[in-house]
Amino acid sequence: MPSNRRKKRCCRADAPGQTNLFWANRAKPDAMNVLVVGAGAMGRWFAEATNRDLAFTDADPAVAERAANELGGKAVELDTSETFDAVCLAVPLLAVEEAIEDHAGKAERAILDLTGVMAEPVSAMADHAPGKERVSLHPLFAPDNAPGNVAVVADESGPTTDNLLSALESRGNTLVETTPEEHDEAMTTVQAGAHTAILAFALSANSVPEGLRTPVYDCLADLTAQVTDGDSRVYADIQEAFDGAEDVAVAAQELTDADPTEFERLYRKAKAKTETRAEEKR
């Protein structure tokens, strides 16, 4: 492994107070074959970033074939009996538990997911792959914006997952240890709440002439362009999986109903929370 690796400690999901070094200097396996289940954008990102001996499968066989042709490797049937050193699940968020049940048996050493929710897949992997290395990943960016932060829960780490995580890190990604609870709670704000606020602005905003725009408006307009450039199903799945939209709606209603005095109070509260977050970020 690179000598300048920044070693990090990661908590096991079932024992947040315990730590293990899963970026320890272990020997790199001579060869590793990886099955990527779900050959969409995120599955392809993982495959390209880890650059191992790849196989792809997808509910749409043509998608798996295209990924194999473009990134190297092969396409296999969803119900293949072939086994692999590692299996990575890059399926829609709401389908991950069923996918783990269906494909865990194909993993000889390790199973990973990168669906964006953590509590359910971590639990499902422990149930269906109890003797294997198990890691849940959440790239906190769209594949086109890579590299970036990748949330990591190493429920049961080992040489195979170490090797794959090392590959991700070598591509410029920052691996951020967390727990399923901490991650999923954060996503209520980071994803569900943020997306709701941005899409609400997009739905409610009127067209504004170029010369009458403000810097705040332009920032929000850029955010709406970024969010609406994605996959609507992915955003719908996030809203289904995480609370957060309701809090945004309540806050918007409070601002709508507020008289000037109450509005000032809410403004000051927002400012205080913003300053607290800025302080925590330092």
Side-chain angles (χ1 to χ4, degrees), residues 7-21:
K7 293 181 181 179
K8 302 179 183 180
R9 295 185 301 170
C10 184
C11 299
R12 290 178 181 272
D14 57 352
Q18 299 176 8
T19 59
N20 61 351
L21 288 174

Side-chain angles (χ1 to χ4, degrees), residues 65-90:
E65 289 283 355
R66 280 198 300 272
N69 290 336
E70 293 174 14
L71 299 178
K74 64 182 180 181
V76 299
E77 299 292 333
L78 271 175
D79 60 355
T80 181
S81 60
E82 188 175 353
T83 59
F84 303 83
D85 295 321
V87 171
C88 179
L89 300 156

Side-chain angles (χ1 to χ4, degrees), residues 183-206:
H183 170 271
D184 290 357
E185 175 62 26
M187 290 308 108
T188 64
T189 295
V190 171
Q191 289 194 313
H195 298 164
T196 297
I198 292 166
L199 290 171
F201 174 79
L203 291 168
S204 63
N206 297 319

